Amino acid sequence: MTRLPYLKLVLATLAFGTVLSVVMLIPNWFGEEGSTAAPEIDRLLDVTIILSSYIFAGVCVALGYALIKWRVKPGDESDGLPIHGNTKLEIIWTMIPLVIVLGLGAYSWIVLDDIEAKDNDAQIINVYSQQFAWTFGYPEEGNKWSEGELHVPVDRQAIFKLNAQDVLHSFWVPEWRIKKDNVPGITTEAVVTPDKIGHYQIVCTELCGFGHATMRALVVVESEADFAKWVKGLSQEVPQTLELTADQALKVEQEAQAKEGGIGGSGVDETGKDNVDQS
Amino acid sequence: MAMAIRQPGWYRGAIGTLLGAAFGFFLVIGLRALMGLDIYQTEQTGYPHIVVPLITAPFGFLFGLGAFDYWFRWAAGKPTIPEDHSGHGATKWQDYFKFNTDHKVIGTQYVVTTMFFFLIGGLLALMMRAELAQPGSQIVAANTFNGLFSTHAVIMIFLFVIPVFAGLANYVLPLMIGAPDMAFPRLNALSFWLLPIAGVIFISSFLAPGGAFDAGWTGYAPLSTGAPLGQSFFNIGVQFAGASSIATALNFLVTIITMRAPGMNLWRMPLLVWANMSTSLLVVGATPFIAGAQFMVLLDRVLGMNFFEFLEGGDVLSYQHIFWFYSHPAVYIMMLPGFGIVSEIISTHARKPVFGYRLMALALIGIVVLSYSVWAHHMFVAGMFDWLRVPIMITTMLIAVPTGIKIFSWLGTLFYGKIHVYSTAMLFALAFIVTFTIGGISGVMLGMIPIDIHVSDTYFIVAHIHFVLFGGSVFTIFAGIYHWFPKMTGRMYDEKLGRVHFWGTVIGTWGTFVPMHWIGMDGMPRRVADYASQYGDWNLFISVFAFILGSVQLVFFYNMIVSWRFGPKAGDNPWRSNTIEWQVSSPPPVFNFDEIPRVVGGPYEFGTPGARHAIMGGETPADIPEPKPTTVTAPS
């Protein structure tokens, strides 16, 4: 049995992996960056791409080498060496991926905590979604609302409170890298600090019916002054029908229970008071 | 004629279908009339007078076909028709259209039926790619498009990938473990016949008012609870496909546990058997969850229950938890049997024992255990409780470890081997290693929450799932069909056409699915009939390659059909393999073995002179030379 040319194989893997990662890092995969979270997520992706390139290169080099070296000549009917395994090698290739994924997991956790950290001066913005339109409420500005157009000041954190009126929708601005589903019955939350002035688009990414592909809204990131001017121009308050948030869904539920008078429940009086207290 | 109607078969099946449908229909309108309700309830989601017959008609069909005859006679205390195996074997093509209890006939029925659905699912995909070749709307309207991708996914998952593996294993596995048949032949036949029923239900949903189900194969509530009638076809079709899966998995488990030939202990089982045992453990544990989820949606729709109705106290997110508790393990249900196939093929064509056999088997079990703990990685942006995300991320990424073990062990098997690449089966197995590695790597990326937040529900997901399910599962399916084609038909396929099919499929797969990663990361959402014009060029590129990929499958179908009829005789063991199915004739005798074989060694003893896996009937142990202990370890 010949000894494997370990050095050559390792060098080939390193060379191929390096070429691959360079080629893979040249395109700007995620596109333009428009929030403080974007560079962090992009860096995480780049690290993952580099590691993946070397792993993929290793698989390709091993496969290619085996095919060149041990492909049979026509007419050779003999068998290969009866090697059943190698415990040391098997432990190595169990441990290396384990360390890599745990490392990437830890790194991801750090990034996640970072991008979801909340600022004290964050602005709350309510987002209402329904087939197939987006509307936005500004509770800090007298609950004024805007249809189909979201304005946010640059360099100030926005906490979007996401609501859905009918089915699931999903709030995504690709340049911000942040996405969260709008779920009927509960209010979900997305934290973004836009850091680049410009026009973007909200893309609905949860299938919501025949108009799903066209469910878009304009996003304008602008200076604090421009934002203040724009928000002053809004005249109407968020209509009552849109305010169907988690609280109200809960209230509906409790009223329904109260009306039915404790079906199947023990210790619930006719007014349903216990029910309310328990929940 | 009167005789034909009384005998189990298609005449009685047709009448049974009509009677079953009529029973369901009159039951509904009778009950509604009694209760003083409108006879016909035709609100968008209702239609009980169609939904209930959709459940009862298939049972009428199965009864007519003869699926329950034996059990009914037995239950009624009548003399059963003695089990003389008269339902065994197939001598003419019509026999394949009967309720047949021979595992080899059932295996063939499975593979041919699922390949037919592969064709249908593929045509649906090409219709989508035709629409997506250019931005804007050209060929189909947006809601029709939603129906196309929903039925495409459902047919490919429930009627192609999952059952085709069950079919291949049905044929090969009993032979491999030296068993005369599956443990429950009648249940086995019933499992098969549930499949075409599910297929007919899914496809006929295109005829329902409002069109085919169009809430995606995921059928998320509340889009699905409020969708038109077609959605109920999905809810019901899944029950039949799921029941088929569960029954087959139970059958495999009992067969593997109780019917192995003497001498075949767990560590002498071929890895294909290990793989199907692991898959079956997933199916029996997880599949009931999707059945439950779809029943809950159906009850919401037809009876106005409020499982997922948020205004009435229902919980929208709980649908996703229940759904993915099945549907993530389902990905492994669609992959583990392929792992088994690849192990068999690589070992045989590299003329070497599988490297690290025991760790390979344990890796399968590791994947089974882990895969029950990762469902919520589909819900990182779904608005579920935040604390669950990091634990699920860790378990998700840990699955890369056993999966990596498998990839490295296949490579290790090739080293110091004698690699034959003349067989199309081996080519697909080798290409599988490379493409599946890509799918695995993008899977690790998706497990990382911050990356997932960005690319969730984009074309990146479409790329990932197709690298796993096409570059992974479908490659192994092709490998398996080519590998066991000589055994199943007794004839050899055309290797030249096999190569055309292989290279066309590899180029088509990469050309179609690689660019999807890029446009997804750049901002193109999935499940859209129209998209921003900046993605137009790449979409045209993808569509061109999708059509190459689609059309080259015709070569495969031509090769299989013509070779089955006219191919040269294959011989019993064209690949010089050690496992038991290759030691019997091609195609195997009706009852597999005259005498049950005795297993005396591991399944992959290549390179050890005189080593045997099994002693077949007719041989006496004295004929068998003692294997020399020649275990060699690789240099470290």
Side-chain angles (χ1 to χ4, degrees), chain A residues 131-132 167-169 204 206-213 215, chain B residues 146 223:
Chain A
Q131 290 169 326
F132 302 95
V167 298
L168 292 166
H169 302 280
C204 176
E206 192 66 78
L207 178 63
C208 58
F210 66 88
H212 170 54
M215 185 167 163
Chain B
N146 292 357
L223 188 61

Side-chain angles (χ1 to χ4, degrees), chain A:
Chain A
M1 189 155 70
T2 49
R3 239 184 114 75
L4 290 176
Y6 290 107
L7 189 66
K8 275 187 197 163
L9 287 177
V10 170
L11 285 179
T13 303
L14 287 179
F16 184 34
T18 309
V19 171
L20 257 183
S21 22
V22 169
V23 171
M24 295 283 288
L25 289 183
I26 288 172
N28 181 11
W29 293 114
F30 280 175
E32 210 183 314
E33 294 176 344
S35 77
T36 52
E40 284 201 63
I41 298 179
D42 291 6
R43 201 175 311 123
L44 177 66
L45 180 78
D46 288 347
V47 170
T48 315
I49 284 179
I50 292 169
L51 281 171
S52 309
S53 297
Y54 286 105
I55 291 170
F56 182 68
V59 169
C60 290
V61 166
L63 182 64
Y65 180 75
L67 283 180
I68 292 166
K69 174 95 181 165
W70 290 294
R71 195 171 155 180
V72 292
K73 302 189 175 51
D76 184 353
E77 302 255 294
S78 62
D79 284 350
L81 290 179
I83 303 166
H84 286 264
N86 180 325
T87 310
K88 210 194 283 175
L89 197 57
E90 286 166 42
I91 291 174
I92 290 174
W93 70 41
T94 307
M95 294 318 287
I96 291 178
L98 186 68
V99 170
I100 292 179
V101 296
L102 288 179
L104 284 177
Y107 184 13
S108 301
W109 194 353
I110 294 169
V111 172
L112 181 70
D113 275 355
D114 254 17
I115 61 179
E116 290 189 344
K118 287 180 190 164
D119 295 348
N120 289 330
D121 70 332
Q123 171 170 231
I124 307 277
I125 299 173
N126 288 321
V127 178
Y128 306 96
S129 55
Q130 55 192 317
Q131 290 169 326
F132 302 95
W134 298 96
T135 43
F136 310 93
Y138 292 87
E140 289 176 18
E141 313 287 345
N143 217 16
K144 293 286 191 300
W145 76 310
S146 149
E147 284 177 273
E149 198 173 315
L150 169 69
H151 284 238
V152 282
V154 71
D155 290 330
R156 180 179 171 196
Q157 191 172 69
I159 297 178
F160 296 99
K161 299 278 186 188
L162 308 172
N163 305 283
Q165 261 56 49
D166 37 36
V167 298
L168 292 166
H169 302 280
S170 194
F171 175 91
W172 183 40
V173 178
E175 290 79 3
W176 290 350
R177 308 284 188 270
I178 298 295
K179 177 186 296 135
K180 191 57 89 63
D181 282 6
N182 304 28
V183 184
I186 60 174
T187 301
T188 57
E189 204 176 81
V191 180
V192 183
T193 312
D195 63 357
K196 225 166 252 160
I197 289 177
H199 287 208
Y200 307 96
Q201 234 182 5
I202 294 175
V203 180
C204 176
T205 49
E206 192 66 78
L207 178 63
C208 58
F210 66 88
H212 170 54
T214 53
M215 185 167 163
R216 305 283 172 106
L218 178 68
V219 180
V220 180
V221 180
E222 57 198 1
S223 68
E224 194 82 46
D226 286 347
F227 173 75
K229 209 162 93 192
W230 175 80
V231 99
K232 208 163 279 171
L234 295 177
S235 53
Q236 284 174 309
E237 284 188 20
V238 177
Q240 207 62 58
T241 48
L242 278 183
E243 296 271 26
L244 194 69
T245 59
D247 291 344
Q248 272 151 320
L250 191 67
K251 216 180 285 167
V252 173
E253 177 192 350
Q254 286 161 350
E255 278 165 11
Q257 277 174 350
K259 231 180 272 170
E260 285 169 20
I263 288 174
S266 55
V268 180
D269 67 19
E270 286 194 351
T271 61
K273 246 182 197 161
D274 281 2
N275 239 337
V276 176
D277 289 345
Q278 277 159 11
S279 54

Side-chain angles (χ1 to χ4, degrees), chain B residues 127-181:
Chain B
M127 284 164 75
M128 273 186 274
R129 282 322 314 176
E131 166 61 43
L132 290 171
Q134 283 173 45
S137 192
Q138 295 90 28
I139 296 170
V140 293
N143 49 350
T144 315
F145 183 87
N146 292 357
L148 285 181
F149 68 69
S150 305
T151 41
H152 160 74
V154 165
I155 285 176
M156 286 303 201
I157 292 168
F158 294 111
L159 288 167
F160 173 54
V161 178
I162 294 177
V164 77
F165 280 130
L168 279 169
N170 227 308
Y171 199 107
V172 173
L173 192 141
L175 287 162
M176 254 183 176
I177 62 171
D181 202 326

